[in-house]
Amino acid sequence: MVDSLQQWQEVEAVLADLSQASQEHHYRQTHRLVQDYLDRLQLSPREQQGLEPLLKSLERMQAKLEQQVLHIAVFGLVGRGKSSLLNALVGETVFETGAIHGVTTAIATAAWPLTTDEDGVQRLRWSGLGDVQVELIDTPGIDEIDGDQWEALAKRVAQQADLILFVVSGDISQLEQDTLTVLHQAHKPLLLVLNKADQYGDRDREAIRNKLADERLRHLISIDEIVTVAAAPRQAEPEYDGDRLVGTKLVSLPPQVEPLRQRIITLLLHEGQSLLALNALLQMAMVDRQVVRRKLQSRDRQAEELIWRFAIAKGMAVAINPISFVDLLGGAAIDVALILQLSQLYDLPIGEGKAIALLRTIAVGMGSLGLGEGLVRVGLSALKGLMGVAAPVSGGLSLGVYVPVALTQAGIGGFATYAIGQVTKAYLANGADWGPEGAGLLTQQILDSLDEAAILQRLRGEIDRRLRLKQL
């Protein structure tokens, strides 16, 4: 399927190598792999139906690779200061904030003209690849959208993101912990941002950081991945009426987000290419799983029709032919032809020699069914031939026995082909691999799952109808 084996061998090689020196080489290789996958992907209209959003997402990922765009998504409860944090990082108000909780009611994005020197004149660049674009994604508060809807939104945004920031303002709630678990499943790097640090003293801040990395979150986050900031710090100052002190007022102070900013810059400079490449490969793998599943569903229907046609054809051939030797050879030829047709259907074409070897393996796996089918067919062929020869002598009376014998033999032969087709289909659907069970056990499992009586009845009825139409 789209030369899957070769394609994924290349993907595995890139994944195994991403941690080594040449990130630029791996980035370009990933870019080529994704583009080749899109170019070679062939889906029928039926197969494509319902997969459009996934395919569009992969096309967007390819555009990200082409334009070198990284996405940073921010999540958190209402009132944790997500939008204020993003504005502080950008250096201007690009995301709406307000005193009322829940100002952000939909996903919002903005470019982050990230700079790497103190004067703010040098753009973030990857050696050999040039300027990097960074886009920030603000999301609604976790607790202001219905749970199922928010989880779907979180998965969709996290899938697009290359880095996730999760904003808290103190010890976390159970809802925040559950959300972190969902985001962790996206397999993206995640920084836990402790905002509103200006509200705590140094000792309290450190205590909160240690508590955030306690047993509950140890499997999700380490203390090194917790960054402390104050996106919109305020300080109380005395308020005077003339010379008279009348109270205090809160005065806004400059944001204290430089530790987070430097952490992000360092991460994007040293690991950004790998993050984007890995994200693209994960996205391609997810799309491919869905594509393969859809193709298998579509091909499963086609395979069933094909197997049934060959089972009927073999039954017809067996019913008509009275010579046991020719009967067996012809039946084997039909089975080999079925295997060849199925291999073409599953994009795993094999030669005639391999098809014969596969038929032999399946026959061994079928054990007593394969042997019994051969013996019964030989015996019935002999009986059928005798009835045919005796017809002139008996005045045609022996033909009354000939037809039931022929139908019985046809049903047995057709059922064997049907079973061979089912085993072959399972083998090919598994990428031409028997799986951990092995050929014998897989064959037996499939045989056990078949309703032999129902299949034989259907085969005999169909063959009888066709024989009568041919006036045989």
Side-chain angles (χ1 to χ4, degrees), residues 350-372:
I350 58 178
E352 186 174 331
K354 189 170 181 180
I356 293 172
L358 182 58
L359 176 59
R360 190 179 300 117
T361 301
I362 295 173
V364 171
M366 289 171 66
S368 59
L369 175 62
L371 178 61

Side-chain angles (χ1 to χ4, degrees), residues 429-441:
N430 197 40
D433 189 283
W434 292 111
E437 297 90 353
L441 186 55

Side-chain angles (χ1 to χ4, degrees), residues 198 233-237 249-253:
D198 55 304
R234 293 185 295 176
Q235 147 179 313
E237 291 187 355
K249 60 180 179 180
L250 290 175
V251 178
S252 296
L253 300 176

Side-chain angles (χ1 to χ4, degrees), residues 72-77 79-89 112 136 142 163-172 176 180 183 189-198 200 205 208-209 212-213 217 220-232 256-264 267:
I72 301 175
V74 182
F75 295 90
L77 288 176
R80 296 303 189 258
K82 298 184 280 68
S83 301
S84 297
L85 174 66
L86 294 179
N87 289 335
L89 288 172
W112 184 14
L136 303 172
I142 302 165
L163 172 64
I164 295 172
L165 306 180
F166 192 82
V167 183
V168 297
S169 59
D171 190 19
I172 68 168
E176 288 172 308
L180 272 172
L183 294 174
L190 188 150
L191 294 177
L192 189 64
V193 182
L194 174 57
N195 191 21
K196 303 185 180 181
D198 55 304
Y200 305 100
R205 280 198 298 269
I208 293 172
R209 287 182 79 248
L212 287 171
L217 299 182
L220 301 175
I221 205 90
S222 72
I223 195 166
D224 294 332
E225 294 168 314
I226 302 173
V227 185
T228 304
V229 301
Q256 301 168 15
V257 296
E258 194 59 22
L260 177 62
R261 183 176 179 279
Q262 289 302 322
R263 181 69 177 272
I264 293 174
L267 183 66

Side-chain angles (χ1 to χ4, degrees), residues 133-435:
Q133 302 177 63
V134 180
E135 291 188 0
L136 303 172
I137 304 174
D138 194 11
T139 62
I142 302 165
D143 46 345
E144 60 184 334
I145 297 180
D146 177 71
D148 291 340
Q149 291 182 350
W150 189 91
E151 186 169 338
L153 178 145
K155 288 179 177 179
R156 177 163 56 87
V157 174
Q159 176 187 316
Q160 178 185 356
D162 305 290
L163 172 64
I164 295 172
L165 306 180
F166 192 82
V167 183
V168 297
S169 59
D171 190 19
I172 68 168
S173 65
Q174 185 60 50
L175 177 58
E176 288 172 308
Q177 183 177 338
D178 293 342
T179 304
L180 272 172
T181 301
V182 171
L183 294 174
H184 186 261
Q185 293 168 357
H187 305 293
K188 304 296 176 66
L190 188 150
L191 294 177
L192 189 64
V193 182
L194 174 57
N195 191 21
K196 303 185 180 181
D198 55 304
Q199 298 178 8
Y200 305 100
D202 292 342
R203 182 176 297 178
D204 290 338
R205 280 198 298 269
E206 192 59 29
I208 293 172
R209 287 182 79 248
N210 289 327
K211 191 172 183 180
L212 287 171
D214 69 5
E215 291 292 339
R216 290 179 301 162
L217 299 182
R218 184 168 294 177
H219 64 295
L220 301 175
I221 205 90
S222 72
I223 195 166
D224 294 332
E225 294 168 314
I226 302 173
V227 185
T228 304
V229 301
R234 293 185 295 176
Q235 147 179 313
E237 291 187 355
E239 186 175 12
Y240 293 92
D241 182 8
D243 293 333
R244 185 168 61 91
L245 179 66
V246 294
T248 60
K249 60 180 179 180
L250 290 175
V251 178
S252 296
L253 300 176
Q256 301 168 15
V257 296
E258 194 59 22
L260 177 62
R261 183 176 179 279
Q262 289 302 322
R263 181 69 177 272
I264 293 174
I265 289 174
T266 300
L267 183 66
L268 298 188
L269 278 174
H270 293 97
E271 301 178 41
Q273 292 175 51
S274 293
L275 290 178
L276 190 48
L278 181 60
N279 195 7
L281 292 175
L282 290 172
Q283 181 81 358
M284 185 169 72
M286 183 178 68
V287 170
D288 191 62
R289 282 196 299 271
Q290 296 299 321
V291 166
V292 169
R293 184 178 297 135
R294 180 60 55 83
K295 285 196 170 193
L296 287 178
Q297 289 172 348
S298 173
R299 291 174 188 189
D300 186 71
R301 290 191 296 269
Q302 297 175 57
E304 284 294 323
E305 294 171 3
L306 189 64
I307 291 169
W308 188 251
R309 288 203 307 270
F310 271 80
I312 293 293
K314 185 174 177 181
M316 291 282 292
V318 167
I320 295 170
N321 177 54
I323 305 172
S324 58
F325 177 74
V326 176
D327 182 13
L328 291 174
L329 286 181
I334 290 173
D335 292 337
V336 169
L338 171 60
I339 291 173
L340 290 171
Q341 288 286 312
L342 286 172
S343 73
Q344 293 287 340
L345 177 63
Y346 281 89
D347 284 345
L348 293 166
I350 58 178
E352 186 174 331
K354 189 170 181 180
I356 293 172
L358 182 58
L359 176 59
R360 190 179 300 117
T361 301
I362 295 173
V364 171
M366 289 171 66
S368 59
L369 175 62
L371 178 61
E373 183 232 354
L375 292 174
V376 171
R377 280 172 55 197
V378 169
L380 289 176
S381 288
L383 179 59
K384 188 175 60 177
L386 181 62
M387 295 299 102
V389 171
V393 178
S394 65
L397 292 176
S398 63
L399 291 178
V401 180
Y402 180 98
V403 172
V405 170
L407 286 176
T408 299
Q409 187 187 25
I412 293 171
F415 178 77
T417 293
Y418 184 85
I420 288 167
Q422 293 297 327
V423 176
T424 304
K425 182 182 76 169
Y427 169 77
L428 294 170
N430 197 40
D433 189 283
W434 292 111

